[in-house]
Amino acid sequence: MVSPSLRIPAAARVFDPAINTRCPPPHAVVMRMRSRSRRSIAASASPPGDASIRDPISLPRPLTSADLMEASGDGLKVAYQGCPGAYSEAAAKKAYPSCHTVPCEYFETAFQAVENWVADRAVLPLENSLGGSIHRNYDLLLRHRLHIVGEVRLAVRHCLLANRGVKIQNLRSAMSHPQALAQCEQTLTKLGIEHREAVDDTAGAAKLIAEQKLQDTGAVASSLAAQLYGLDILAENIQDDTDNVTRFMMLAREPIIPRTDKPFKTSIVFSLEEGPGQLFKALAVFALRKINLTKMESRPHKKKPLRIADDNCSAPLKHFDYLFYVDLEASMADPNAQNALANLKEFATFLRVLGSYPTDVSEA
């Protein structure tokens, strides 16, 4: 027996003899009609077969300031480390031919210049074919939130510079950046220059020699530095190895939109749990998808730089907690690369995409 409190008045019950079932009350029918009407209007507003309207993922992303800048860099302020005439300035000019260069005293100053809107871009060295990686900049990539938006390769052609009237036989010392001095060690020795003086950058050495009018010291720097500081070029191409190329990264506050219509490279950094086979497992996510790796660099984690074995010698004598920097020949617009990183993220303790950017295929 139905409870009186649940009894529905006869007037409120609607019966349709044609289908022999109860129908919803009139106000519910009106609401359904309005809902159908709204769906009809929405459907008529979207052309049939237009997937871009129905699928939000396929809609174009808003442009960023990085996309609006022209390739020539017209109007851009580009920060670099060193004095005017440094190789980094030449790289900045190669990357953005019409840019206004902003010299910075230190690498970190260039990072800060872009973060604080003093500059629009920074062009900083990442690795050299002879000297290897510039570890300082790898560390700074994690400490700052800038994005790699491009790369540029620059052939390094060292020159021996001196003040006007000075001859090679008058030189007793060579001044330059430590890496530049190392790259020219054999040639300088053959020229009879025995002593070396290290400074912060190559152009800074040329500037110092010109300002102090040194007569017994030469600078290892670029031909541009000789022109800027009024020095003579005593010898050209003095590097011991002719294949001397430095790869620079182009940094911006915002990433660029990756594409698949031209060669792209993606730079990532990740860390793994301790244990055998972990690195093999990480590399497998790329190998199984046929993604080529062009570089891999390991760096000890600064927060856990060293671990010592316990008194029972149950652990290795030393163990470093490493970060792995990897360059992939792939664009983040490629689903294959997206799936690989999604797979890596499942077991990596840390993962960050530093940038996805066009590969520099021009001659150094």
Short mmCIF file of all heavy atoms in Angstrom, two decimals, residues 275-323:
data_model
loop_
_atom_site.label_atom_id
_atom_site.label_comp_id
_atom_site.label_asym_id
_atom_site.label_seq_id
_atom_site.Cartn_x
_atom_site.Cartn_y
_atom_site.Cartn_z
N GLY A 275 69.95 2.32 -8.57
CA GLY A 275 69.73 0.91 -8.87
C GLY A 275 70.25 0.53 -10.24
O GLY A 275 70.33 1.36 -11.14
N PRO A 276 70.57 -0.75 -10.42
CA PRO A 276 71.08 -1.23 -11.71
C PRO A 276 70.00 -1.18 -12.79
O PRO A 276 68.83 -1.47 -12.53
CB PRO A 276 71.50 -2.66 -11.40
CG PRO A 276 70.68 -3.06 -10.22
CD PRO A 276 70.51 -1.82 -9.41
N GLY A 277 70.41 -0.79 -14.00
CA GLY A 277 69.50 -0.81 -15.13
C GLY A 277 68.61 0.39 -15.28
O GLY A 277 67.82 0.47 -16.22
N GLN A 278 68.69 1.36 -14.34
CA GLN A 278 67.80 2.51 -14.43
C GLN A 278 68.10 3.38 -15.66
O GLN A 278 67.19 3.82 -16.35
CB GLN A 278 67.91 3.35 -13.15
CG GLN A 278 67.27 2.71 -11.93
CD GLN A 278 65.77 2.56 -12.07
OE1 GLN A 278 65.07 3.48 -12.47
NE2 GLN A 278 65.28 1.36 -11.76
N LEU A 279 69.39 3.62 -15.92
CA LEU A 279 69.74 4.43 -17.08
C LEU A 279 69.40 3.70 -18.37
O LEU A 279 68.92 4.30 -19.33
CB LEU A 279 71.23 4.78 -17.04
CG LEU A 279 71.74 5.67 -18.18
CD1 LEU A 279 70.95 6.97 -18.26
CD2 LEU A 279 73.23 5.95 -18.03
N PHE A 280 69.64 2.38 -18.39
CA PHE A 280 69.27 1.57 -19.55
C PHE A 280 67.77 1.68 -19.82
O PHE A 280 67.34 1.81 -20.97
CB PHE A 280 69.66 0.11 -19.32
CG PHE A 280 69.17 -0.82 -20.38
CD1 PHE A 280 69.85 -0.97 -21.57
CD2 PHE A 280 68.01 -1.56 -20.18
CE1 PHE A 280 69.39 -1.83 -22.56
CE2 PHE A 280 67.53 -2.42 -21.16
CZ PHE A 280 68.23 -2.56 -22.36
N LYS A 281 67.00 1.64 -18.77
CA LYS A 281 65.54 1.74 -18.89
C LYS A 281 65.14 3.10 -19.45
O LYS A 281 64.23 3.21 -20.28
CB LYS A 281 64.90 1.52 -17.52
CG LYS A 281 63.40 1.49 -17.50
CD LYS A 281 62.90 1.23 -16.08
CE LYS A 281 61.38 1.26 -16.01
NZ LYS A 281 60.90 1.04 -14.61
N ALA A 282 65.84 4.17 -19.00
CA ALA A 282 65.52 5.52 -19.48
C ALA A 282 65.86 5.67 -20.95
O ALA A 282 65.08 6.25 -21.72
CB ALA A 282 66.28 6.55 -18.65
N LEU A 283 67.00 5.14 -21.36
CA LEU A 283 67.40 5.26 -22.77
C LEU A 283 66.51 4.40 -23.67
O LEU A 283 66.34 4.72 -24.85
CB LEU A 283 68.86 4.86 -22.92
CG LEU A 283 69.88 5.74 -22.17
CD1 LEU A 283 71.29 5.23 -22.42
CD2 LEU A 283 69.76 7.20 -22.59
N ALA A 284 65.97 3.35 -23.12
CA ALA A 284 65.12 2.46 -23.92
C ALA A 284 63.85 3.15 -24.41
O ALA A 284 63.33 2.81 -25.48
CB ALA A 284 64.77 1.21 -23.11
N VAL A 285 63.34 4.12 -23.65
CA VAL A 285 62.09 4.79 -24.07
C VAL A 285 62.32 5.54 -25.38
O VAL A 285 61.37 5.75 -26.15
CB VAL A 285 61.56 5.74 -22.98
CG1 VAL A 285 61.38 5.03 -21.67
CG2 VAL A 285 62.46 6.95 -22.80
N PHE A 286 63.55 5.93 -25.65
CA PHE A 286 63.85 6.60 -26.92
C PHE A 286 64.25 5.59 -28.00
O PHE A 286 63.84 5.72 -29.15
CB PHE A 286 64.98 7.62 -26.70
CG PHE A 286 64.69 8.62 -25.63
CD1 PHE A 286 65.39 8.61 -24.44
CD2 PHE A 286 63.70 9.58 -25.80
CE1 PHE A 286 65.13 9.53 -23.44
CE2 PHE A 286 63.41 10.50 -24.81
CZ PHE A 286 64.13 10.48 -23.63
N ALA A 287 65.03 4.60 -27.62
CA ALA A 287 65.48 3.60 -28.60
C ALA A 287 64.31 2.82 -29.19
O ALA A 287 64.26 2.57 -30.40
CB ALA A 287 66.47 2.64 -27.94
N LEU A 288 63.34 2.46 -28.35
CA LEU A 288 62.19 1.70 -28.83
C LEU A 288 61.33 2.50 -29.79
O LEU A 288 60.59 1.92 -30.60
CB LEU A 288 61.35 1.22 -27.64
CG LEU A 288 62.02 0.20 -26.72
CD1 LEU A 288 61.15 -0.10 -25.52
CD2 LEU A 288 62.32 -1.09 -27.50
N ARG A 289 61.43 3.83 -29.72
CA ARG A 289 60.66 4.70 -30.62
C ARG A 289 61.53 5.29 -31.73
O ARG A 289 61.11 6.20 -32.43
CB ARG A 289 59.99 5.81 -29.81
CG ARG A 289 58.93 5.28 -28.84
CD ARG A 289 58.42 6.36 -27.91
NE ARG A 289 57.33 5.88 -27.07
CZ ARG A 289 57.52 5.22 -25.91
NH1 ARG A 289 58.75 4.98 -25.48
NH2 ARG A 289 56.49 4.81 -25.21
N LYS A 290 62.77 4.77 -31.83
CA LYS A 290 63.71 5.17 -32.88
C LYS A 290 63.99 6.68 -32.86
O LYS A 290 64.07 7.34 -33.90
CB LYS A 290 63.21 4.73 -34.26
CG LYS A 290 63.00 3.23 -34.38
CD LYS A 290 62.65 2.82 -35.79
CE LYS A 290 62.36 1.32 -35.87
NZ LYS A 290 63.48 0.50 -35.37
N ILE A 291 64.12 7.23 -31.65
CA ILE A 291 64.48 8.64 -31.48
C ILE A 291 65.98 8.72 -31.21
O ILE A 291 66.48 8.13 -30.25
CB ILE A 291 63.69 9.28 -30.32
CG1 ILE A 291 62.19 9.26 -30.63
CG2 ILE A 291 64.16 10.72 -30.09
CD1 ILE A 291 61.34 9.80 -29.49
N ASN A 292 66.69 9.43 -32.07
CA ASN A 292 68.14 9.51 -31.94
C ASN A 292 68.54 10.54 -30.88
O ASN A 292 67.94 11.61 -30.78
CB ASN A 292 68.76 9.91 -33.29
CG ASN A 292 70.27 9.82 -33.27
OD1 ASN A 292 70.85 8.91 -32.69
ND2 ASN A 292 70.93 10.79 -33.88
N LEU A 293 69.56 10.21 -30.09
CA LEU A 293 70.12 11.13 -29.11
C LEU A 293 71.42 11.70 -29.66
O LEU A 293 72.31 10.95 -30.06
CB LEU A 293 70.39 10.41 -27.78
CG LEU A 293 69.25 9.58 -27.17
CD1 LEU A 293 69.68 9.04 -25.81
CD2 LEU A 293 68.00 10.42 -27.05
N THR A 294 71.54 13.02 -29.70
CA THR A 294 72.75 13.66 -30.23
C THR A 294 73.72 14.06 -29.13
O THR A 294 74.87 14.36 -29.42
CB THR A 294 72.38 14.90 -31.05
OG1 THR A 294 71.68 15.84 -30.22
CG2 THR A 294 71.48 14.53 -32.23
N LYS A 295 73.28 14.07 -27.89
CA LYS A 295 74.17 14.44 -26.79
C LYS A 295 73.60 13.89 -25.49
O LYS A 295 72.38 13.86 -25.30
CB LYS A 295 74.31 15.96 -26.69
CG LYS A 295 75.20 16.42 -25.53
CD LYS A 295 75.30 17.93 -25.46
CE LYS A 295 76.07 18.38 -24.24
NZ LYS A 295 77.47 17.93 -24.24
N MET A 296 74.53 13.50 -24.59
CA MET A 296 74.13 13.10 -23.25
C MET A 296 75.21 13.55 -22.28
O MET A 296 76.39 13.24 -22.47
CB MET A 296 73.91 11.60 -23.15
CG MET A 296 73.38 11.17 -21.79
SD MET A 296 72.83 9.46 -21.78
CE MET A 296 72.17 9.36 -20.12
N GLU A 297 74.84 14.29 -21.27
CA GLU A 297 75.76 14.86 -20.30
C GLU A 297 75.25 14.55 -18.89
O GLU A 297 74.07 14.76 -18.60
CB GLU A 297 75.85 16.37 -20.49
CG GLU A 297 76.74 17.09 -19.50
CD GLU A 297 78.18 17.16 -19.95
OE1 GLU A 297 78.44 16.78 -21.10
OE2 GLU A 297 79.04 17.60 -19.16
N SER A 298 76.10 14.03 -18.05
CA SER A 298 75.70 13.76 -16.67
C SER A 298 76.39 14.75 -15.75
O SER A 298 77.57 15.06 -15.91
CB SER A 298 76.07 12.32 -16.27
OG SER A 298 77.46 12.12 -16.37
N ARG A 299 75.63 15.24 -14.78
CA ARG A 299 76.14 16.22 -13.82
C ARG A 299 75.70 15.79 -12.42
O ARG A 299 74.54 15.45 -12.20
CB ARG A 299 75.57 17.61 -14.12
CG ARG A 299 76.03 18.21 -15.42
CD ARG A 299 77.45 18.74 -15.31
NE ARG A 299 77.51 19.91 -14.45
CZ ARG A 299 78.57 20.24 -13.73
NH1 ARG A 299 79.63 19.48 -13.73
NH2 ARG A 299 78.56 21.33 -12.98
N PRO A 300 76.62 15.83 -11.44
CA PRO A 300 76.22 15.52 -10.06
C PRO A 300 75.19 16.52 -9.55
O PRO A 300 75.30 17.72 -9.83
CB PRO A 300 77.53 15.63 -9.27
CG PRO A 300 78.60 15.50 -10.30
CD PRO A 300 78.05 16.09 -11.55
N HIS A 301 74.19 16.01 -8.83
CA HIS A 301 73.16 16.88 -8.26
C HIS A 301 73.79 17.70 -7.15
O HIS A 301 74.41 17.17 -6.23
CB HIS A 301 72.02 16.03 -7.72
CG HIS A 301 70.75 16.79 -7.50
ND1 HIS A 301 70.67 17.86 -6.65
CD2 HIS A 301 69.51 16.65 -8.03
CE1 HIS A 301 69.44 18.33 -6.65
NE2 HIS A 301 68.72 17.61 -7.49
N LYS A 302 73.63 19.02 -7.20
CA LYS A 302 74.28 19.90 -6.23
C LYS A 302 73.78 19.69 -4.81
O LYS A 302 74.50 19.88 -3.84
CB LYS A 302 74.08 21.36 -6.63
CG LYS A 302 74.83 21.75 -7.91
CD LYS A 302 76.33 21.61 -7.73
CE LYS A 302 77.08 22.05 -8.96
NZ LYS A 302 78.53 21.88 -8.81
N LYS A 303 72.52 19.28 -4.67
CA LYS A 303 71.98 19.11 -3.32
C LYS A 303 72.49 17.82 -2.67
O LYS A 303 72.51 17.70 -1.46
CB LYS A 303 70.45 19.09 -3.38
CG LYS A 303 69.84 20.43 -3.78
CD LYS A 303 68.32 20.36 -3.77
CE LYS A 303 67.69 21.70 -4.15
NZ LYS A 303 66.21 21.63 -4.17
N LYS A 304 72.88 16.83 -3.50
CA LYS A 304 73.41 15.57 -2.97
C LYS A 304 74.68 15.22 -3.75
O LYS A 304 74.70 14.27 -4.52
CB LYS A 304 72.38 14.45 -3.12
CG LYS A 304 71.06 14.72 -2.41
CD LYS A 304 70.08 13.59 -2.68
CE LYS A 304 68.73 13.85 -2.03
NZ LYS A 304 67.76 12.78 -2.34
N PRO A 305 75.75 16.00 -3.57
CA PRO A 305 76.92 15.81 -4.42
C PRO A 305 77.72 14.55 -4.13
O PRO A 305 78.37 14.03 -5.00
CB PRO A 305 77.76 17.06 -4.13
CG PRO A 305 77.37 17.45 -2.74
CD PRO A 305 75.91 17.09 -2.61
N LEU A 306 77.64 14.04 -2.92
CA LEU A 306 78.50 12.92 -2.57
C LEU A 306 77.89 12.10 -1.46
O LEU A 306 77.30 12.63 -0.52
CB LEU A 306 79.87 13.44 -2.11
CG LEU A 306 80.92 12.41 -1.68
CD1 LEU A 306 81.33 11.56 -2.88
CD2 LEU A 306 82.12 13.09 -1.07
N ARG A 307 78.04 10.79 -1.56
CA ARG A 307 77.60 9.89 -0.51
C ARG A 307 78.74 8.95 -0.16
O ARG A 307 79.41 8.41 -1.04
CB ARG A 307 76.38 9.08 -0.95
CG ARG A 307 75.12 9.93 -1.07
CD ARG A 307 73.94 9.10 -1.51
NE ARG A 307 72.75 9.93 -1.68
CZ ARG A 307 71.60 9.47 -2.16
NH1 ARG A 307 71.49 8.22 -2.54
NH2 ARG A 307 70.57 10.28 -2.28
N ILE A 308 78.94 8.74 1.14
CA ILE A 308 80.04 7.91 1.62
C ILE A 308 79.48 6.59 2.12
O ILE A 308 78.39 6.54 2.70
CB ILE A 308 80.81 8.62 2.75
CG1 ILE A 308 81.27 10.00 2.27
CG2 ILE A 308 82.01 7.78 3.19
CD1 ILE A 308 82.24 9.96 1.11
N ALA A 309 80.25 5.52 1.93
CA ALA A 309 79.82 4.21 2.40
C ALA A 309 79.76 4.17 3.91
O ALA A 309 80.47 4.89 4.60
CB ALA A 309 80.78 3.13 1.88
N ASP A 310 78.89 3.28 4.45
CA ASP A 310 78.79 3.16 5.90
C ASP A 310 79.96 2.32 6.44
O ASP A 310 80.80 1.82 5.70
CB ASP A 310 77.46 2.54 6.30
CG ASP A 310 77.23 1.18 5.67
OD1 ASP A 310 78.24 0.52 5.35
OD2 ASP A 310 76.07 0.80 5.49
N ASP A 311 80.01 2.19 7.75
CA ASP A 311 81.14 1.51 8.39
C ASP A 311 81.25 0.04 8.02
O ASP A 311 82.32 -0.56 8.08
CB ASP A 311 81.04 1.64 9.92
CG ASP A 311 81.18 3.09 10.37
OD1 ASP A 311 81.81 3.86 9.62
OD2 ASP A 311 80.67 3.41 11.46
N ASN A 312 80.14 -0.55 7.62
CA ASN A 312 80.15 -1.96 7.28
C ASN A 312 80.53 -2.21 5.82
O ASN A 312 80.56 -3.35 5.37
CB ASN A 312 78.77 -2.57 7.54
CG ASN A 312 78.41 -2.50 9.02
OD1 ASN A 312 79.28 -2.65 9.88
ND2 ASN A 312 77.13 -2.29 9.30
N CYS A 313 80.76 -1.11 5.10
CA CYS A 313 81.15 -1.21 3.68
C CYS A 313 80.09 -1.94 2.86
O CYS A 313 80.40 -2.69 1.92
CB CYS A 313 82.50 -1.92 3.52
SG CYS A 313 83.86 -1.01 4.28
N SER A 314 78.83 -1.77 3.25
CA SER A 314 77.76 -2.43 2.53
C SER A 314 77.32 -1.65 1.30
O SER A 314 76.52 -2.13 0.51
CB SER A 314 76.56 -2.63 3.46
OG SER A 314 76.09 -1.37 3.94
N ALA A 315 77.87 -0.44 1.13
CA ALA A 315 77.53 0.38 -0.03
C ALA A 315 78.83 0.74 -0.75
O ALA A 315 79.92 0.63 -0.18
CB ALA A 315 76.81 1.65 0.42
N PRO A 316 78.74 1.16 -2.02
CA PRO A 316 79.95 1.58 -2.73
C PRO A 316 80.64 2.72 -1.99
O PRO A 316 80.03 3.47 -1.23
CB PRO A 316 79.40 2.06 -4.09
CG PRO A 316 78.10 1.34 -4.25
CD PRO A 316 77.54 1.20 -2.87
N LEU A 317 81.93 2.86 -2.23
CA LEU A 317 82.69 3.88 -1.52
C LEU A 317 82.14 5.28 -1.79
O LEU A 317 82.06 6.10 -0.90
CB LEU A 317 84.16 3.80 -1.94
CG LEU A 317 84.91 2.54 -1.48
CD1 LEU A 317 86.33 2.56 -2.01
CD2 LEU A 317 84.91 2.47 0.04
N LYS A 318 81.75 5.55 -3.04
CA LYS A 318 81.20 6.86 -3.40
C LYS A 318 80.01 6.65 -4.34
O LYS A 318 80.03 5.75 -5.17
CB LYS A 318 82.25 7.74 -4.08
CG LYS A 318 83.41 8.15 -3.17
CD LYS A 318 84.35 9.09 -3.90
CE LYS A 318 85.49 9.51 -2.99
NZ LYS A 318 86.44 10.42 -3.67
N HIS A 319 79.04 7.49 -4.16
CA HIS A 319 77.88 7.42 -5.07
C HIS A 319 77.37 8.83 -5.30
O HIS A 319 77.07 9.55 -4.35
CB HIS A 319 76.77 6.56 -4.48
CG HIS A 319 75.59 6.42 -5.41
ND1 HIS A 319 75.52 5.43 -6.37
CD2 HIS A 319 74.48 7.17 -5.56
CE1 HIS A 319 74.40 5.58 -7.06
NE2 HIS A 319 73.75 6.63 -6.58
N PHE A 320 77.28 9.21 -6.57
CA PHE A 320 76.78 10.53 -6.93
C PHE A 320 75.34 10.42 -7.42
O PHE A 320 74.98 9.49 -8.14
CB PHE A 320 77.63 11.16 -8.04
CG PHE A 320 79.00 11.58 -7.59
CD1 PHE A 320 80.06 10.70 -7.68
CD2 PHE A 320 79.22 12.83 -7.06
CE1 PHE A 320 81.33 11.05 -7.27
CE2 PHE A 320 80.48 13.20 -6.64
CZ PHE A 320 81.55 12.31 -6.75
N ASP A 321 74.53 11.37 -7.00
CA ASP A 321 73.16 11.46 -7.49
C ASP A 321 73.20 12.34 -8.73
O ASP A 321 73.40 13.54 -8.63
CB ASP A 321 72.25 12.07 -6.42
CG ASP A 321 70.79 11.99 -6.82
OD1 ASP A 321 70.47 11.33 -7.81
OD2 ASP A 321 69.98 12.62 -6.13
N TYR A 322 73.03 11.76 -9.91
CA TYR A 322 73.27 12.46 -11.17
C TYR A 322 72.00 13.04 -11.79
O TYR A 322 70.92 12.49 -11.67
CB TYR A 322 73.92 11.53 -12.18
CG TYR A 322 75.39 11.28 -11.92
CD1 TYR A 322 75.81 10.11 -11.30
CD2 TYR A 322 76.34 12.22 -12.29
CE1 TYR A 322 77.14 9.87 -11.06
CE2 TYR A 322 77.69 11.99 -12.05
CZ TYR A 322 78.09 10.82 -11.44
OH TYR A 322 79.41 10.59 -11.21
N LEU A 323 72.22 14.14 -12.50
CA LEU A 323 71.24 14.68 -13.43
C LEU A 323 71.74 14.39 -14.83
O LEU A 323 72.93 14.53 -15.11
CB LEU A 323 71.07 16.19 -13.24
CG LEU A 323 70.35 16.65 -11.97
CD1 LEU A 323 70.51 18.16 -11.80
CD2 LEU A 323 68.87 16.29 -12.03
#
